[in-house]
Amino acid sequence: MTTSITHKHNPFLTHIITLFSSQCFYHKFVEVGPKPRARNNKDSIVEPEKWKKMDSRSLGITRTMIPSSPYTLLKILRTKGFEAYLVGGCVRDLILNRIPKDFDVITTADLHQVKKQFHRCVIIGRRFPICKVSIKGSDIEVSSFKTLAKHSEDKERFLQSQMPKGFDKSDLRLWKNSMHRDFTVNSLFFDPLNFKIYDYNNAMKDLLDLKLRTLVPAHLSFTEDCARILRGLRIAARLGLSFSKDIEAAIHKQAPSLLNLATSRIMMEVDYMLSYGAAESSLRLLQRFRILEILLPFQAAYISRQTTEYGESPMMLMKLLSYLDKIVSCDQPSACRLWIGLLAFHQALIEEPQHPYVVLTFASVLYHQSWEHGLEFARKSGQRIVNFEPETLDPSTFISVNEVARKVDDLAKKVIDSCNMLVDTDGLHQTMLKYPDFPCSGLVFIPKNSAQSAAQLFHVLIQKGKSCDEGRSSFEINHQLLGKGDTSETRFALGKIILNTLGCGIDEGNDNHPASLTPFELNYQQSKSHSPKKPKLNPKSSISNQNAATEIKIEDIEVVVSKQHVEVLDASSCLEMEDCTMEKPEEVSAPQSPTQKSNNVKKQELNTKSSNSIKQNAAAERFEVGM
């Protein structure tokens, strides 16, 4: 009996399913050695009928799919007389036609021999040391067959009982190393120079069956390294794999052991869950196995209460994570400050729910990185945003633009406070007072510098965004900058995720749709498609326009209150008024003739009439903010 999480059809698995459905695929295996003896019912896996090698080209894996850095490293080790293979998750992902997040290498050379071959190489780790080799701009982790971690007596006895006999030395070495790994799907070896994949534990069949299995009984594997619990959940969430009854029982029983894990290790595993495209499914699995209440008790209590009180209604937190998953992936991850900022933002809304228009404006300014364009987009999109309980208040209530500005300021401060609470044990316990019936482990694993980095994303929204007036030059995500944690790019991604969650349609499929763009975005898209020549600007005129834009203040937007609704002047109209009425410094000029004075008087009268006309038009162009 197996259980699995709800998972959409996985297109990457279609590739391997097609191969397995063809009988000719099996003829491409190379059988090695006699049939190993069968295991008893207590064993965690079923012994494969035969050890198998296969041609990687039959699986569609070509040389071009291997980056030059690991390929060069393998060739260097081979020319020095050592065996070397790609190993682990990268082989699994290549088979599934995915782009691996990294490439790990294992070799017959010991670590000191590896270090002699590469100038930029350091040995790291204590319990299981490896070499970190920098080559061609990438870091490759290289382990050695000669490095063996110490295992429990129970596991050693189990491995001895499974030791095959009558096989050649190379296969025995690979089998023995594979048995020290965490899951069967991570026990594959790949020699890209000879196009050979080695499967000693039926990993290919497990991928076909969407099954995650440990190589030794699960309780032994998790006792050896409890971080494998988190890693198993992450792999299952990403690939949509099911768990056997053996693994489920072990996770439920040994989950509390995660409290003994180093906080840096927990942070690494959680970051892999939330930054690489499987955040929503990972959080659901963590909640199902009651591990979320250990790692993130506030979020666990929120999900539990939402499920009880609101049933099938959409949860804002899960929507946020769902849209996060749409903009990141294993080959295009984000830095941790993005998901930390999302969690803090959501926690601030739970602490103090906000009017939907406040949340919309908050996100729109982050997305456009301009208060002017952010307000314009919020005004345009305010009538079609999605309401969430309990995060947002009744949308039928009315709110003025002045109040929106103050509320956005307050919300930004609360989000910053929430960032700080994520790294403070006392703050965590104080926050959990809102959920007295739910447990709080007191575990804090997010580093302070990471939380502070996330908090910096929201400082531009404080004091009415005076430092957020540059505007966005591109409405396409730069994934390289996002992966490095660039502040501007992370703010943009954060605003995009929140706007999508609110139903504004700012997703990858609608970015170029004119109906969903503000004039600022539309001009950018048109300029990008037509590629016109940049006009030459008058420096003085440019400076004047910048000063005029800088002088615009939220308080200057006129608010008209009535019993039925709240109306405010269009921000663009206010901009025109500011340009026309802005005082200019006096200039020293030469004496004027009577004719010149007469002409200047006429010009002043004309300007006064023009200004009054603009004000009248602006007053007529009021727009409604009521939701």
Side-chain angles (χ1 to χ4, degrees):
M1 177 181 178
T2 59
T3 57
S4 64
I5 61 170
T6 303
H7 197 83
K8 295 183 292 184
H9 173 68
N10 192 332
F12 298 104
L13 293 180
T14 305
H15 176 67
I16 187 172
I17 291 172
T18 303
L19 289 171
F20 265 88
S21 63
S22 174
Q23 290 184 352
C24 67
F25 174 78
Y26 288 99
H27 297 299
K28 297 178 181 179
F29 283 119
V30 179
E31 299 178 3
V32 180
K35 177 180 176 181
R37 58 186 178 80
R39 295 179 177 178
N40 57 44
N41 294 332
K42 295 182 179 180
D43 295 336
S44 61
I45 64 173
V46 178
E47 188 73 50
E49 294 183 359
K50 289 170 182 171
W51 287 4
K52 302 178 181 74
K53 298 176 187 177
M54 64 207 79
D55 192 314
S56 64
R57 291 168 292 192
S58 68
L59 299 174
I61 301 175
T62 62
R63 162 67 187 89
T64 57
M65 298 171 69
I66 313 299
S68 60
S69 48
Y71 192 83
T72 302
L73 189 148
L74 288 169
K75 287 184 68 176
I76 291 174
L77 290 173
R78 286 294 178 86
T79 57
K80 298 299 180 179
F82 303 110
E83 292 182 32
Y85 307 88
L86 294 176
V87 66
C90 65
V91 187
R92 174 201 70 213
D93 290 344
L94 287 171
I95 292 172
L96 295 177
N97 200 28
R98 289 174 174 259
I99 299 177
K101 71 179 182 66
D102 51 32
F103 287 81
D104 294 336
V105 172
I106 189 166
T107 179
T108 54
D110 63 41
L111 298 185
H112 293 287
Q113 289 174 320
V114 173
K115 191 173 182 180
K116 288 180 181 179
Q117 310 305 322
F118 304 96
H119 296 294
R120 301 180 62 187
C121 175
V122 294
I123 299 175
I124 59 175
R126 292 182 180 180
R127 183 167 175 262
F128 193 80
I130 61 171
C131 279
K132 187 176 182 180
V133 180
S134 297
I135 180 172
K136 292 194 171 185
S138 300
D139 292 333
I140 308 295
E141 292 186 357
V142 182
S143 57
S144 172
F145 285 111
K146 297 180 180 180
T147 303
L148 295 176
K150 295 181 179 179
H151 302 286
S152 67
E153 292 182 1
D154 289 340
K155 182 173 180 179
E156 289 295 342
R157 282 196 297 268
F158 177 83
L159 293 176
Q160 287 295 328
S161 69
Q162 304 302 310
M163 184 70 70
K165 296 179 181 180
F167 297 96
D168 65 47
K169 186 176 181 180
S170 178
D171 276 312
L172 194 59
R173 182 191 301 117
L174 291 173
W175 174 86
K176 189 173 183 179
N177 184 272
S178 72
M179 294 299 292
H180 286 278
R181 298 190 173 275
D182 47 14
F183 304 101
T184 59
V185 295
N186 288 341
S187 67
L188 295 158
F189 299 90
F190 178 30
D191 176 4
L193 279 67
N194 294 318
F195 305 103
K196 285 290 185 292
I197 292 178
Y198 302 82
D199 179 9
Y200 297 98
N201 301 290
N202 246 8
M204 296 291 291
K205 187 176 186 304
D206 286 342
L207 288 176
L208 176 65
D209 295 338
L210 297 177
K211 186 179 297 182
L212 188 71
R213 295 189 292 120
T214 53
L215 287 146
V216 299
H219 72 278
L220 293 180
S221 181
F222 297 158
T223 299
E224 182 180 40
D225 185 1
C226 62
R228 289 174 177 172
I229 295 174
L230 297 178
R231 194 179 310 136
L233 294 176
R234 168 166 55 87
I235 294 171
R238 181 175 170 234
L239 302 180
L241 306 183
S242 63
F243 299 102
S244 67
K245 195 172 182 180
D246 173 50
I247 288 183
E248 287 212 3
I251 292 177
H252 282 298
K253 184 177 180 180
Q254 296 175 249
S257 64
L258 292 171
L259 289 170
N260 300 323
L261 202 61
T263 55
S264 58
R265 186 80 182 277
I266 295 176
M267 178 62 186
M268 181 183 73
E269 292 295 342
V270 173
D271 187 38
Y272 283 156
M273 288 181 177
L274 304 183
S275 296
Y276 289 77
E280 182 190 8
S281 52
S282 293
L283 218 68
R284 290 189 185 279
L285 274 181
L286 289 172
Q287 179 74 0
R288 188 182 115 196
F289 286 99
R290 302 194 65 179
I291 294 176
L292 193 62
E293 67 187 42
I294 298 174
L295 304 179
L296 296 168
F298 183 88
Q299 285 70 24
Y302 159 82
I303 293 173
S304 180
R305 181 168 289 184
Q306 283 287 103
T307 304
T308 303
E309 296 182 5
Y310 299 98
E312 297 298 323
S313 62
M315 283 186 271
M316 187 180 194
L317 177 60
M318 291 308 180
K319 283 286 186 181
L320 290 168
L321 296 178
S322 173
Y323 282 108
L324 169 62
D325 290 339
K326 291 184 179 181
I327 66 172
V328 298
S329 61
C330 269
D331 57 312
Q332 293 181 327
S334 68
C336 65
R337 70 191 306 198
L338 179 56
W339 62 261
I340 293 174
L342 271 180
L343 292 183
F345 161 76
H346 179 260
Q347 185 168 319
L349 289 182
I350 297 297
E351 292 287 331
E352 187 170 336
Q354 299 290 331
H355 192 285
Y357 193 77
V358 172
V359 182
L360 174 63
T361 306
F362 180 97
S364 183
V365 174
L366 285 176
Y367 177 75
H368 293 87
Q369 298 184 17
S370 161
W371 263 88
E372 177 190 350
H373 300 298
L375 284 170
E376 182 183 359
F377 182 86
R379 174 186 64 83
K380 178 181 175 183
S381 307
Q383 299 296 330
R384 54 190 174 95
I385 63 176
V386 178
N387 190 42
F388 291 94
E389 292 183 291
E391 291 87 351
T392 53
L393 301 173
D394 183 2
S396 64
T397 58
F398 303 102
I399 185 169
S400 68
V401 169
N402 278 346
E403 191 174 358
V404 167
R406 288 192 296 270
K407 291 288 187 180
V408 169
D409 184 293
D410 290 341
L411 178 56
K413 292 176 181 176
K414 291 184 184 303
V415 175
I416 292 171
D417 289 340
S418 295
C419 288
N420 296 328
M421 288 181 184
L422 289 171
V423 298
D424 178 56
T425 302
D426 293 337
L428 175 61
H429 284 290
Q430 185 68 26
T431 303
M432 287 302 293
L433 293 177
K434 187 178 182 71
Y435 300 101
D437 298 331
F438 292 88
C440 178
S441 65
L443 174 66
V444 170
F445 63 88
I446 298 175
K448 287 186 178 181
N449 59 343
S450 297
Q452 291 170 355
S453 175
Q456 290 174 1
L457 300 171
F458 307 97
H459 282 288
V460 295
L461 295 171
I462 299 177
Q463 297 180 348
K464 302 175 181 63
K466 291 182 179 178
S467 60
C468 188
D469 55 7
E470 294 182 359
R472 179 78 183 177
S473 61
S474 170
F475 288 90
E476 297 175 356
I477 292 178
N478 185 321
H479 287 279
Q480 186 176 8
L481 292 178
L482 186 64
K484 293 179 179 179
D486 177 79
T487 300
S488 175
E489 210 63 32
T490 307
R491 280 196 192 112
F492 171 67
L494 191 63
K496 184 184 184 78
I497 291 168
I498 300 172
L499 288 176
N500 274 326
T501 301
L502 294 175
C504 294
I506 309 296
D507 53 33
E508 295 295 340
N510 294 331
D511 272 347
N512 298 325
H513 196 288
S516 65
L517 301 179
T518 63
F520 181 77
E521 295 169 298
L522 188 58
N523 289 337
Y524 164 73
Q525 296 291 355
Q526 292 173 345
S527 66
K528 187 177 70 169
S529 60
H530 298 299
S531 300
K533 294 183 179 180
K534 294 182 179 180
K536 293 183 179 180
L537 299 177
N538 185 332
K540 292 184 179 180
S541 175
S542 177
I543 293 173
S544 176
N545 289 337
Q546 291 177 3
N547 291 338
T550 305
E551 289 296 321
I552 299 174
K553 298 180 181 179
I554 302 300
E555 299 96 315
D556 294 336
I557 300 179
E558 180 183 350
V559 181
V560 183
V561 183
S562 69
K563 293 182 180 179
Q564 296 180 349
H565 59 271
V566 178
E567 296 180 331
V568 296
L569 289 179
D570 192 325
S572 60
S573 300
C574 293
L575 177 61
E576 293 175 352
M577 292 170 61
E578 289 282 348
D579 288 339
C580 294
T581 59
M582 185 178 297
E583 295 183 1
K584 298 182 179 180
E586 296 181 0
E587 297 180 358
V588 179
S589 58
Q592 299 177 344
S593 65
T595 303
Q596 290 175 324
K597 290 181 179 180
S598 176
N599 290 337
N600 289 337
V601 170
K602 291 180 180 180
K603 288 181 179 179
Q604 290 177 358
E605 292 176 353
L606 182 62
N607 287 339
T608 302
K609 292 179 180 180
S610 176
S611 176
N612 291 335
S613 176
I614 290 174
K615 288 182 179 180
Q616 292 174 0
N617 292 335
E621 294 177 357
R622 304 163 191 259
F623 65 87
E624 187 173 338
V625 180
M627 308 297 291

